[in-house]
Amino acid sequence: MRNSALLLFVTLLLSSAQSFGQREGAQNATAVIVAPVVSGEFADQVEALGTTRANESVVITADRSEKVMAIHFDDGQAVKKGDLLLTLDKRQEEAQLRASQAVTDETRNSYNRAQGLSGTSALPRATLQERAAQLAQAQAVTDSLQASLTSYEITAPFDGILGLRQVSVGTLVQPGDQITTIDDLSQIKIDFDVPSVFLATLKPGLPIRGTIEAFGDRQFEGVVTTVNSRIDPITRTVIVRAIIPNPDNILKPGLLMSITLYKNPRQTLLVPEEALIKRADRNYVYVIEQDQGQTIARQRSIELGARKPGIIEVLSGLEEGDKVVVQGIIKLRDGMPVSIRAEQTGNESLEDLLTQKPTTGGQ
């Protein structure tokens, strides 16, 4: 009986000591903020510079040496393909066309009369053939004059925005003289050089983002459309062309753009950069684990991939859903008890995280 009572006393004593130790351990646990290991899209980045260009760009010039009779556009006007822009003096050519048409009509009438007599002996067959040839010749002259008249009316070659007008009514223009410019700004081309070491991963469809100093932090997104077929033998770079939509026509040709090209897109594990601990040539993070009812921080070696500001790619050492310590790392040692003060799941500020309700759970 005495032995049983003694055994019961010892059991109660040990139980009380264990409970006290757990309470003391919980009180001594280091408060940390954690973040989950997530699987997300990631891509390597290549930085470059390029100059914006219009999707299509043409200098509008005259094909004839003649005076300007009428101007049908304003500076900066948006036009559609085929819109009339400028008319040159064509009065002399129109008079020549009317004369040619009169000759053609008379020749046609002569041919028709000869054709009516072709079945009789009054008109030799050779005469009918001669008049047919005269009609064809007259019609060809008329068609040529009509075709030449189109060069006296200058039209827009495609939809676009006109530039500054360089002529006035009465100006004598020569072939090649600039009248204005027209640019298709519905989308912008951007050509930039990429080192040829990345050639294996360059292909149409890769996304890009660009920024321009004039527009601050605003980002312009586009896609690669072409990778040049030749490598520059001096710089060992290849020209890549991308297209950026420009529905509001805010981008203009000639702007310097800083470009980020995203290559080798993939699904991979990601953790916040602040979780990383670097010692010599090894990389570590503290992972939250449960050990005999206690929440502890376990140091774990990881293999890194690429990185971008605020995020690192993890190739091995972690699994999706693991929780890593991102705040409170300095005080930690391997296996140390911790209490989870907050969990970072996005871009929350530290102030917002500290207002979260503390938790003690691990994974």
Side-chain angles (χ1 to χ4, degrees), residues 30 279 286 296-299 328-338:
T30 301
R279 296 196 181 105
Y286 279 110
I296 65 171
R298 183 70 69 191
Q299 184 176 279
I329 296 175
I330 297 178
K331 301 178 181 179
L332 292 183
R333 298 292 181 272
D334 188 26
M336 180 178 290
V338 295

Side-chain angles (χ1 to χ4, degrees), residues 181-202:
T181 58
I182 181 171
D183 295 304
D184 175 9
L185 301 180
S186 60
Q187 53 187 15
I188 292 293
K189 293 176 182 176
I190 181 80
D191 293 350
F192 52 96
D193 293 328
V194 175
S196 58
V197 294
F198 299 125
L199 187 60
T201 57
L202 296 178

Side-chain angles (χ1 to χ4, degrees), residues 151-313:
S151 63
Y152 289 83
E153 291 185 342
I154 299 173
T155 59
F158 48 79
D159 297 357
I161 306 296
L162 297 176
L164 300 179
R165 177 165 57 89
Q166 303 296 330
V167 297
S168 301
V169 173
T171 301
L172 177 63
V173 293
Q174 303 292 337
D177 285 354
Q178 179 174 331
I179 295 170
T180 187
T181 58
I182 181 171
D183 295 304
D184 175 9
L185 301 180
S186 60
Q187 53 187 15
I188 292 293
K189 293 176 182 176
I190 181 80
D191 293 350
F192 52 96
D193 293 328
V194 175
S196 58
V197 294
F198 299 125
L199 187 60
T201 57
L202 296 178
K203 59 183 179 180
L206 292 178
I208 70 159
R209 285 197 180 112
T211 58
I212 296 174
E213 186 176 1
F215 300 108
D217 295 333
R218 178 171 176 176
Q219 293 189 335
F220 300 92
E221 298 185 354
V223 294
V224 171
T225 57
T226 309
V227 179
N228 196 14
S229 59
R230 296 185 177 185
I231 307 296
D232 189 315
I234 298 176
T235 62
R236 305 299 178 189
T237 59
V238 60
I239 297 177
V240 176
R241 173 170 292 176
I243 294 292
I244 298 176
N246 189 33
D248 52 2
N249 292 335
I250 190 172
L251 295 176
K252 308 296 182 186
L255 292 170
L256 181 65
M257 178 175 284
S258 299
I259 299 163
T260 302
L261 168 67
Y262 297 89
K263 67 181 185 68
N264 190 25
R266 57 196 179 274
Q267 197 76 14
T268 188
L269 295 180
L270 305 172
V271 297
E273 193 171 25
E274 55 265 35
L276 181 64
I277 306 167
K278 191 169 184 65
R279 296 196 181 105
D281 59 345
R282 304 291 298 274
N283 297 289
Y284 301 90
V285 293
Y286 279 110
V287 182
I288 299 301
E289 295 182 1
Q290 295 295 319
D291 182 25
Q292 299 181 356
Q294 269 194 323
T295 302
I296 65 171
R298 183 70 69 191
Q299 184 176 279
R300 191 179 299 178
S301 175
I302 62 173
E303 181 183 358
L304 298 184
R307 66 172 67 193
K308 59 183 179 180
I311 298 176
I312 56 175
E313 177 187 21

Side-chain angles (χ1 to χ4, degrees), residues 29-108:
T30 301
V32 296
I33 296 176
V34 301
V37 178
V38 298
S39 176
E41 293 184 357
F42 196 83
D44 300 323
Q45 299 181 13
V46 178
E47 306 292 332
L49 291 174
T51 301
T52 57
R53 297 174 50 201
N55 184 46
E56 301 290 348
S57 182
V58 168
V59 176
I60 305 295
T61 61
D63 296 331
R64 298 276 180 176
S65 178
E66 196 53 82
K67 287 185 178 181
V68 176
M69 285 294 293
I71 296 174
H72 309 284
F73 69 92
D74 294 321
D75 295 345
Q77 179 179 336
V79 294
K80 297 291 186 180
K81 180 179 179 179
D83 285 354
L84 183 61
L85 304 180
L86 183 139
T87 303
L88 299 177
D89 187 357
K90 55 182 178 178
R91 289 173 294 185
Q92 182 177 351
E93 286 70 22
E94 288 175 335
Q96 291 175 351
L97 177 61
R98 288 193 296 269
S100 177
Q101 287 172 334
V103 172
T104 302
D105 291 342
E106 178 57 31
T107 306
R108 182 177 290 106

